[in-house]
Amino acid sequence: MASKHKPLDLFVIAFILVCLLIGWILKEGIEARTVGFTDTNANISLEYPARWLPKPDPGSLLLVFDPQSRSFFNDRISLQVARWFAQEGMDEFIEHLQTQRGSDYQLYHTISVGPLEIDSLETTRMDYVYAILSPGMDIPNVVRAIDIIFPKGDQVYILTLSADESEFDGNLPEFDAVVSSIRSN
């Protein structure tokens, strides 16, 4: 018995394409969701990706990480607060922060420091790199980070966005969205 070739059923092909398109739209919508964070003491709010998970850290107001990160160093976002005295000046505070980062991190190097205006907040952006040697690893991970630094009253907020150097550029759109979401209420 010879088998007959049936023509492709266009309805089935169209149905599969529509299902794939709907799945892609749902995926994009889910990945684009954000979670809001507000510090009521300073009336500052921001949004971060909803798929990122919070991690308890007594030294941070907020610490979230990307569980889908492919490196040992999970991509992360943290918000910390430090005391600041206006007579110290922001430049001196940043120099102190650079010194502190240099003592906390191996091979710390500042890439750039410059002003950045976000929602009428005068902020400073500091880009830097450092290395961490993770337990059980022979070769250190290179981490790139951005600090967004802004005073509010007698405190300075430091928003840190960091990722393994190999993943940093891929995270820039999410990092930029977090920085753009900062609001001073």
Side-chain angles (χ1 to χ4, degrees):
M1 246 169 125
S3 65
K4 284 182 162 181
H5 291 288
K6 292 185 180 180
L8 294 175
D9 192 346
L10 293 178
F11 175 76
V12 172
I13 293 172
F15 180 75
I16 290 172
L17 290 175
V18 167
C19 287
L20 287 172
L21 179 64
I22 290 171
W24 180 77
I25 290 170
L26 285 172
K27 174 190 145 316
E28 291 296 317
I30 289 169
E31 288 180 352
R33 288 188 319 197
T34 59
V35 173
F37 170 82
T38 302
D39 178 30
T40 54
N41 293 331
N43 291 323
I44 292 172
S45 62
L46 60 88
E47 295 178 352
Y48 61 88
R51 65 181 168 76
W52 290 42
L53 300 176
K55 184 175 182 180
D57 181 23
S60 299
L61 297 173
L62 171 72
L63 176 61
V64 293
F65 71 96
D66 182 0
Q68 296 176 353
S69 176
R70 294 177 304 255
S71 70
F72 184 81
F73 180 87
N74 291 103
D75 311 334
R76 57 189 75 171
I77 300 168
S78 70
L79 180 64
Q80 298 177 323
V81 64
R83 296 230 15 105
W84 178 60
F85 303 99
Q87 65 270 20
E88 180 184 19
M90 187 50 64
D91 290 338
E92 290 170 305
F93 179 84
I94 290 171
E95 285 178 24
H96 172 72
L97 181 61
Q98 287 174 316
T99 303
Q100 180 185 353
R101 296 266 194 255
S103 65
D104 291 346
Y105 302 132
Q106 299 174 0
L107 303 173
Y108 169 85
H109 177 72
T110 301
I111 298 170
S112 65
V113 177
L116 178 67
E117 187 172 330
I118 305 167
D119 188 46
S120 74
L121 283 172
E122 295 296 326
T123 71
T124 301
R125 177 180 167 147
M126 182 169 69
D127 292 55
Y128 56 96
V129 296
Y130 62 92
I132 58 168
L133 187 59
S134 305
M137 307 217 30
D138 295 329
I139 300 173
N141 284 67
V142 176
V143 176
R144 281 190 58 192
I146 300 169
D147 281 344
I148 305 296
I149 306 158
F150 51 97
K152 188 91 167 156
D154 63 347
Q155 297 180 323
V156 173
Y157 287 82
I158 305 164
L159 175 67
T160 303
L161 310 127
S162 53
D164 187 278
E165 207 279 326
S166 65
E167 295 184 3
F168 186 83
D169 289 337
N171 283 317
L172 274 177
E174 286 181 320
F175 287 169
D176 289 342
V178 171
V179 171
S180 317
S181 75
I182 296 172
R183 297 289 175 258
S184 177
N185 305 325

